[in-house]
């Protein structure tokens, strides 16, 4: 079974080892298997002109080929080869065309040509000459003749299809044998090759006075036809010539001219007596469509005279050749945005037959492809785009073209074209997520990798090469580029600075992905960036709380609000959640602080053993990890009723600009509590005043008791006494007497240190005055 066909072209005279083609690669064979599969070449004429290198699968010239000896009569010289491999057995058809080169010089059959011309021949007479032979083809064959200068002769040659068909010597004026009996001329033949080659023959013309009537044909040229592949002996045409002379001078014999004899004698035969032309060899329309036969009619006189005619034999074609298809232009790959009508390929279809046998049509084997075959010129077809193309859906098509002639029976040939679809930049880069969110811990090291942007492009090549960039924007007047940077090749984003949650908590970054197409296409994504807080700020007390001095009544009840402290933390969330406590190493501090609000209140009722002044160390502690704290001191003095009491609340020391709508409820609550406290204080004052008056009256009634006690005091000035004027008021009437003024300075200092702070009232002071009065008297 024939799987495929290759066609190689090499020039003739190629030396041994000349490269012909990569036959294994072109046939789709695995180079590693051609040796094991015993690849070999078989030629029809059993001549091994070519050989295959079984190591690399290259076909090369084994023997030098001479086109003229191999294909002497055909314009195209093709050596058909059969490439056969085993295991399994496969056969391939390979044609190697031998291209003609100008390697042959025009050669005349003889270096000297003798002609005899009667002096009676009139001017204008023509004498056929045997031309030179050049086995080369086309322009490499003979294209021109030149004759040396002569007054009597000139040269006439006619071209048909760029080939010289006839060569004649023309008599310009009549000859005179008595003046010149011989004329010596030089005839030169030139071919059209490069370099130009030439051949020479010498014409020796003898002038004689002989037979003066030449045979004459009834027509100067004849036209006839013969069917291609006609059997041998088929009559082609019968010639007829007459001679006015009589006897042997009028007897005529026919023969081909010398220049035609060698070529035509192989195809046609001419009966010299009857003038019948018959088929002798193989007539092939594809080789030669028309034969031009030159026939001479020669009389039998002593000085024979010749008549000339031309016979044009047309070969009638039969349908014995399948169409030949060749792609003369293939524009692949084609862009996927090619509009309808875009030409993809030019297909040249040729059938060596003629007429209806040579009329061909070209179609696709499958019609549901986005292509169409249109007739362009005679034998030329164009394959054009007939639908929309999308490389992302299908990047290659296999189009099978079938060329069929109109002969009977019809013959056809097929050819497969692989059409690749090239990409254009018609797809935007696509992000996997148009919006994404990341969280960055503050105090990150500058240059740390925080995110990788990823986009893909359905295109290929440079159209899918994506570069990443950050769209210019600003955060509080600072360019975004000062915060973030991105690697344009891989989309990795880096933090350019160390972020501080207390300065920036959130910002957006717009990332742009741009492909390398022309024009470039791009798409954007939004990256939400949150700066996570870490516990990097300790709580801070306001300077107003540093060494805060507070006075409170000794008579205050448990739960009485002493003051309130407040600390702030620049962190947020759980890291800024405050809790307060008092450092109390002794456990005797009569105060307690609210862990949540920082309100310091009286834990229990003040007793006599309590100090008059306390220095409270208040600790503010956040809930971060690690925990951070701040310290402040609050000085609390216990005073009697009537002394100025200061209670500081944090809402008195807050700046006005810290007030916000969120604190409205707190302010309202404080105002309500303050109002209640004020009312309570007024009531308490009234009750205390009433009680004071009652106590004054009691003092008057107990005057005598106070006098006895004073006498005892006079009895011993060195001893201190404790006098109780009324057993029912013991806790309010406690009096301590000290030594008189005769004590030393040191004793006075000690006495001053021991001097009590009276928690009592005005009643006690009155009693003391009374005792002093008794002593002085």
């Amino acid at each position: 079974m024939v799987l495929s066909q290759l066609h190689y072209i090499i020039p003739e005279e190629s030396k041994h080892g000349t490269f012909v083609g990569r036959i294994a690669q072109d046939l789709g064979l695995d180079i590693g298997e051609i040796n094991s599969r015993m690849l070999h070449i078989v030629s029809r004429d059993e001549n091994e002109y070519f050989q295959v290198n079984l190591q690399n699968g290259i076909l090369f010239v084994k023997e030098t080929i001479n086109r003229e000896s191999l294909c002497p009569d055909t314009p195209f010289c093709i050596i058909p080869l059969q490439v056969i491999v085993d295991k399994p057995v496969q056969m391939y058809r390979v044609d190697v065309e031998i291209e003609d080169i100008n390697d042959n010089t025009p050669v005349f059959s003889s270096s000297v040509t003798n002609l005899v011309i009667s002096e009676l021949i009139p001017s204008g007479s023509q004498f056929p000459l045997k031309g030179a032979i050049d086995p080369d083809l086309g322009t490499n064959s003979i294209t021109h003749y030149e004759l040396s200068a002569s007054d009597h002769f000139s040269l006439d040659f006619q071209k048909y299809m760029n080939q010289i068909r006839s060569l004649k010597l023309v008599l310009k004026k009549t000859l005179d044998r008595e003046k010149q009996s011989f004329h010596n001329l030089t005839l030169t033949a030139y071919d059209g090759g490069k370099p130009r080659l030439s051949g020479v023959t010498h014409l020796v013309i003898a002038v004689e006075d002989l037979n003066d009537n030449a045979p004459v044909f009834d027509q100067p040229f004849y036209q006839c036809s013969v069917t291609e592949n006609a059997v041998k002996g088929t009559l082609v045409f019968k010639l007829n010539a007459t001679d006015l002379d009589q006897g042997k001078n009028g007897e005529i014999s026919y023969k081909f001219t010398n220049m035609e004899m060698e070529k035509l004698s192989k195809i046609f035969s001419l009966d010299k007596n009857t003038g019948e032309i018959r088929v002798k060899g193989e007539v092939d329309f594809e080789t030669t469509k028309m034969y031009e036969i030159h026939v001479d009619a020669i009389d039998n006189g002593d000085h024979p005279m010749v008549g000339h005619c031309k016979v044009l034999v047309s070969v009638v074609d039969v349908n014995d050749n399948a169409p030949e298809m060749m792609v003369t232009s293939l524009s692949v790959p084609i862009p996927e945005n090619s509009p309808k009508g875009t030409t993809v390929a030019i297909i040249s279809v040729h059938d060596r037959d003629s007429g209806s046998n040579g009329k061909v049509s070209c179609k696709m084997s499958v019609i549901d492809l986005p292509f169409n075959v249109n007739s362009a010129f005679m034998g030329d077809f164009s394959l054009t785009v007939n639908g929309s193309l999308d490389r992302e859906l299908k990047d290659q098509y296999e189009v099978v073209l079938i060329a069929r002639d109109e002969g009977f029976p019809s013959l056809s040939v097929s050819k497969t074209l692989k059409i690749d679809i090239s990409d254009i930049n018609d797809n935007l880069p696509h992000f996997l997520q148009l919006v994404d969110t990341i969280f960055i811990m503050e105090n990150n090291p500058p240059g740390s990798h925080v995110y990788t942007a990823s986009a893909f492009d359905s295109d290929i090549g440079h159209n899918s090469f994506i570069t990443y960039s950050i769209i210019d924007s600003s955060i509080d007047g600072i360019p975004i580029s000062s915060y973030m940077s991105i690697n344009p090749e891989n989309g990795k984003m880096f933090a350019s600075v160390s972020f501080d949650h207390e300065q920036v908590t959130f910002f957006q970054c717009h990332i742009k992905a741009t492909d390398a197409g022309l024009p470039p296409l791009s798409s954007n994504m939004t990256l939400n960036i949150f700066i996570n807080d870490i516990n990097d700020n300790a709580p801070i007390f306001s300077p107003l709380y540093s060494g805060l001095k507070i006075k409170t009544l000794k008579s205050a009840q448990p739960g009485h609000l002493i003051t309130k402290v407040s600390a702030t933390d620049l962190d947020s969330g759980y890291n800024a959640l405050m809790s307060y406590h008092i450092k109390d190493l002794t456990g005797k501090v009569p105060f307690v602080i609210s862990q949540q609000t920082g309100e310091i209140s009286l834990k229990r009722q003040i007793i006599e053993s309590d100090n008059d002044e306390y220095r409270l160390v208040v600790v503010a502690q956040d809930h971060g990890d690690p925990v951070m704290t701040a310290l402040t001191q609050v000085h609390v003095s216990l005073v009697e009723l009537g002394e100025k009491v200061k209670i500081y609340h944090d809402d008195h020391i807050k700046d006005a600009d810290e007030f916000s709508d969120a604190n409205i409820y707190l302010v309202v609550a404080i105002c309500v509590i303050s109002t209640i406290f004020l009312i309570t204080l007024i009531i308490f004052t009234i009750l205390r005043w009433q009680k004071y008056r009652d106590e004054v009256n009691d003092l008057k009634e107990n005057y005598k008791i106070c006098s006895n006690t004073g006498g005892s005091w006079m009895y011993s000035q060195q001893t201190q006494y404790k006098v109780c004027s009324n057993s029912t008021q013991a806790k309010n009437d406690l009096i301590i007497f000290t030594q008189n003024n005769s004590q030393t300075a040191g004793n006075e200092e000690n006495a001053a240190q021991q001097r009590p702070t009276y928690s009592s009232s005005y009643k006690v002071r009155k009693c003391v005055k009374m005792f002093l009065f008794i002593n002085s008297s």
Side-chain angles (χ1 to χ4, degrees):
M1 180 176 65
V2 177
L3 298 181
S4 62
Q5 180 173 347
L6 297 178
H7 188 93
Y8 298 111
I9 300 177
I10 62 169
E12 64 172 325
E13 304 297 335
S14 297
K15 303 301 181 182
H16 174 77
T18 300
F19 174 83
V20 178
R22 302 181 183 277
I23 189 169
Q25 179 178 343
D26 294 339
L27 291 175
L29 299 176
D30 189 349
I31 296 178
E33 296 180 357
I34 60 175
N35 194 4
S36 62
R37 296 184 64 184
M38 301 176 63
L39 185 146
H40 59 282
I41 295 176
V42 178
S43 178
R44 292 182 180 178
D45 55 3
E46 298 182 357
N47 291 326
E48 294 184 359
Y49 295 110
F50 304 96
Q51 190 173 352
V52 176
N53 187 328
L54 296 181
Q55 301 300 321
N56 53 26
I58 293 178
L59 181 67
F60 61 93
V61 176
K62 182 179 181 182
E63 295 183 3
T64 303
I65 302 173
N66 184 273
R67 191 202 63 81
E68 287 73 21
S69 61
L70 185 63
C71 308
D73 299 319
T74 57
F76 296 96
C77 185
I78 296 177
I79 301 177
L81 303 176
Q82 287 182 345
V83 180
I84 300 175
V85 293
D86 296 331
K87 300 178 184 179
V89 175
Q90 291 178 318
M91 183 181 69
Y92 302 89
R93 169 68 181 272
V94 178
D95 291 340
V96 181
E97 181 179 343
I98 309 302
E99 196 176 44
D100 181 54
I101 63 173
N102 192 26
D103 59 339
N104 290 283
T105 302
V107 177
F108 289 91
S109 59
S110 175
S111 60
V112 178
T113 301
N114 296 307
L115 296 177
V116 178
I117 301 176
S118 174
E119 61 179 343
L120 298 178
I121 299 298
S123 60
S125 298
Q126 297 180 353
F127 305 93
L129 297 177
K130 184 178 181 181
I133 298 175
D134 192 333
D136 296 328
L137 296 174
T139 58
N140 294 330
S141 63
I142 298 173
T143 59
H144 185 67
Y145 286 93
E146 287 185 0
L147 185 66
S148 59
S150 174
D151 295 334
H152 292 84
F153 298 95
S154 63
L155 196 62
D156 179 43
F157 53 90
Q158 296 179 353
K159 288 186 177 181
Y160 179 78
M161 297 180 67
N162 296 324
Q163 293 185 358
I164 298 176
R165 298 296 185 180
S166 61
L167 180 65
K168 296 179 181 179
L169 186 65
V170 179
L171 183 63
K172 294 193 293 183
K173 62 180 182 179
T174 58
L175 300 175
D176 188 349
R177 187 185 62 81
E178 286 73 24
K179 291 182 178 181
Q180 186 176 356
S181 60
F182 291 93
H183 295 268
N184 293 319
L185 303 176
T186 301
L187 178 62
T188 306
Y190 295 95
D191 63 19
K194 292 182 181 181
R196 191 180 184 187
L197 302 178
S198 62
V200 177
T201 186
H202 297 282
L203 301 180
V204 179
I205 303 172
V207 181
E208 288 187 355
D209 196 9
L210 296 173
N211 185 14
D212 58 352
N213 287 294
V216 177
F217 289 93
D218 51 5
Q219 292 181 201
F221 70 90
Y222 302 91
Q223 288 183 329
C224 61
S225 63
V226 62
T227 303
E228 179 183 17
N229 300 329
V231 297
K232 294 181 180 180
T234 301
L235 177 64
V236 178
F237 194 75
K238 187 177 185 305
L239 299 173
N240 182 34
T242 58
D243 194 324
L244 298 178
D245 296 326
Q246 295 181 351
K248 64 178 183 178
N249 291 332
E251 295 177 358
I252 299 173
S253 60
Y254 303 92
K255 68 174 183 178
F256 296 125
T257 60
N258 292 334
M259 62 176 296
E260 302 285 351
M261 194 67 183
E262 296 180 3
K263 181 177 180 180
L264 292 178
S265 61
K266 298 179 181 179
I267 302 173
F268 302 102
S269 63
L270 175 61
D271 191 311
K272 65 177 182 178
N273 297 319
T274 62
E276 292 180 349
I277 301 175
R278 295 182 178 273
V279 175
K280 179 182 179 182
E282 181 180 356
V283 179
D284 188 0
F285 175 84
E286 287 70 40
T287 302
T288 305
K289 296 178 177 57
M290 179 179 291
Y291 293 93
E292 184 177 318
I293 304 174
H294 294 268
V295 180
D296 292 341
I298 305 172
D299 60 23
N300 291 329
D302 293 334
H303 301 285
M305 300 188 68
V306 181
H308 312 284
C309 78
K310 183 194 306 181
V311 180
L312 298 178
V313 181
S314 300
V315 180
V316 179
D317 181 50
V318 297
N319 193 26
D320 60 343
N321 291 280
E324 298 175 359
M325 185 184 302
M326 180 174 62
V327 179
T328 59
S329 177
L330 181 60
S331 299
V332 291
I334 60 173
E336 60 179 322
N337 65 339
S338 299
K340 287 186 179 182
T342 301
T343 300
V344 179
I346 301 296
I347 303 100
S348 179
V349 181
H350 173 69
D351 196 319
R352 298 173 64 187
D353 298 324
S354 63
S356 60
N357 296 329
K359 291 182 180 180
V360 292
S361 60
C362 186
K363 296 181 180 179
M364 295 189 302
S365 62
V366 180
I367 61 175
D368 60 345
L369 297 178
F371 301 98
N372 191 28
V373 177
N374 303 308
S375 178
F377 302 99
M378 183 177 297
D380 291 331
F381 298 87
S382 61
L383 181 65
T384 60
V385 176
N386 194 41
S388 60
L389 303 174
D390 191 347
R391 188 207 63 80
E392 287 70 35
L393 296 178
K394 190 174 180 64
D395 60 356
Q396 187 183 72
Y397 292 89
E398 284 193 0
V399 179
V400 179
L401 301 176
I402 299 177
R404 187 179 301 275
D405 62 24
E406 297 181 4
F408 184 81
S410 178
L411 302 177
S412 64
V413 67
S414 64
K415 191 175 188 65
T416 301
L417 299 182
K418 289 186 177 180
I419 301 175
D420 295 320
I421 308 301
S422 63
D423 182 56
I424 64 166
N425 195 25
D426 59 344
N427 288 280
L428 294 171
H430 179 69
F431 283 99
L432 298 178
Q433 290 180 299
L434 296 180
V435 179
D436 202 357
T437 302
I438 62 173
F439 298 88
I440 302 176
M441 300 298 294
E442 66 172 331
N443 300 335
N444 60 290
S448 58
H449 175 243
V450 296
Y451 185 73
T452 299
S454 178
F456 67 92
D457 197 316
S458 300
D459 298 320
I460 59 174
H462 65 276
N463 292 330
S464 64
F465 181 76
I466 298 176
T467 56
Y468 300 89
S469 61
I470 297 177
I471 299 177
D472 291 337
S473 61
S474 61
I475 303 173
D476 297 332
I478 301 176
I480 189 70
S481 58
S482 300
Y483 289 92
M484 305 297 293
S485 64
I486 190 169
N487 188 316
E489 295 182 358
N490 55 28
K492 290 186 176 181
M493 294 186 64
F494 302 91
S496 302
V497 298
S498 179
F499 289 104
D500 187 353
H501 175 80
E502 288 69 42
Q503 295 181 358
V504 178
T505 60
F506 167 78
F507 63 93
Q508 283 187 335
C509 180
H510 300 283
I511 304 171
K512 183 178 183 181
T514 306
D515 61 27
L518 189 65
L521 301 178
S522 62
S523 61
N524 302 333
M525 75 163 288
T526 300
L527 184 64
N528 297 318
I529 302 176
F530 290 88
I531 308 303
N532 285 349
D533 182 55
I534 63 175
N535 195 28
D536 58 343
N537 291 281
I540 299 175
F541 284 100
S542 170
L544 295 176
Y545 291 122
S546 178
L548 182 64
K549 296 182 178 180
I550 302 297
K551 292 183 178 181
T552 187
L553 294 172
K554 291 182 177 181
S555 59
Q557 297 300 315
H560 173 68
L561 178 65
I562 303 301
T563 187
K564 181 178 181 181
V565 295
S566 178
T568 60
D569 195 321
L570 296 179
D571 294 321
S572 63
Y574 206 64
N575 295 327
L577 182 61
M578 293 290 107
S579 63
Y580 304 90
H581 64 273
I582 297 174
K583 278 191 174 182
D584 183 10
L585 301 178
T586 63
K588 297 180 179 181
V589 175
F591 303 100
V592 68
I593 189 170
S594 174
Q595 290 188 359
Q596 289 75 29
T597 64
E599 293 179 347
I600 301 175
S601 58
L602 195 60
K603 180 170 63 173
R604 57 179 175 80
Q605 195 170 22
I606 300 299
I607 60 177
E608 293 179 356
S609 62
D610 290 333
N611 297 329
D612 293 337
E613 184 176 340
Y614 288 91
R615 290 186 179 183
L616 304 180
V617 179
V618 179
V619 180
Q621 175 180 299
D622 61 23
H623 288 71
D625 185 15
V627 174
M628 304 188 77
T629 61
L631 302 177
T632 189
Q633 286 188 354
V634 178
H635 299 264
V636 181
S637 300
L638 301 177
V639 299
E640 297 292 341
L641 182 65
E643 293 188 30
K644 187 177 180 181
V645 178
K646 294 182 181 179
I647 300 179
Y648 292 92
H649 300 282
D650 63 335
D651 49 279
H652 296 300
I653 62 176
K654 288 186 178 178
D655 295 334
D657 57 348
E658 293 181 357
F659 189 83
S660 64
D661 293 338
N663 296 324
I664 290 178
Y665 296 105
L666 179 61
V667 172
V668 172
I670 293 175
C671 291
V672 172
I673 294 172
S674 299
T675 302
I676 296 173
F677 175 77
L678 182 60
I679 295 173
T680 304
L681 184 60
I682 293 172
I683 296 173
F684 177 78
T685 303
I686 294 172
L687 294 175
R688 293 294 296 173
W689 176 252
Q690 183 66 36
K691 189 174 182 180
Y692 165 73
R693 294 185 64 180
D694 295 338
E695 289 176 352
V696 170
N697 293 330
D698 292 338
L699 285 174
K700 290 179 180 181
E701 293 176 358
N702 296 322
Y703 173 73
K704 293 178 179 182
I705 300 175
C706 291
S707 298
N708 294 332
T709 308
S712 300
W713 173 73
M714 290 292 296
Y715 177 73
S716 179
Q717 296 181 358
Q718 301 299 322
T719 307
Q720 296 179 354
Y721 296 91
K722 183 170 79 171
V723 179
C724 186
S725 61
N726 191 346
S727 60
T728 60
Q729 301 293 333
K731 63 180 180 179
N732 294 328
D733 297 336
L734 178 63
I735 303 174
I736 298 177
F737 295 93
T738 62
Q739 295 178 353
N740 58 14
N741 293 334
S742 62
Q743 294 174 331
T744 64
N747 293 330
E748 291 178 354
E749 183 178 356
N750 294 330
Q753 291 176 357
Q754 296 175 359
R755 187 175 299 135
T757 301
Y758 295 102
S759 62
S760 173
S761 48
Y762 179 75
K763 168 176 93 166
V764 176
R765 291 195 297 272
K766 279 286 187 178
C767 185
V768 173
K769 288 179 181 181
M770 292 175 66
F771 283 130
L772 293 176
F773 175 74
I774 294 172
N775 186 36
S776 64
S777 60

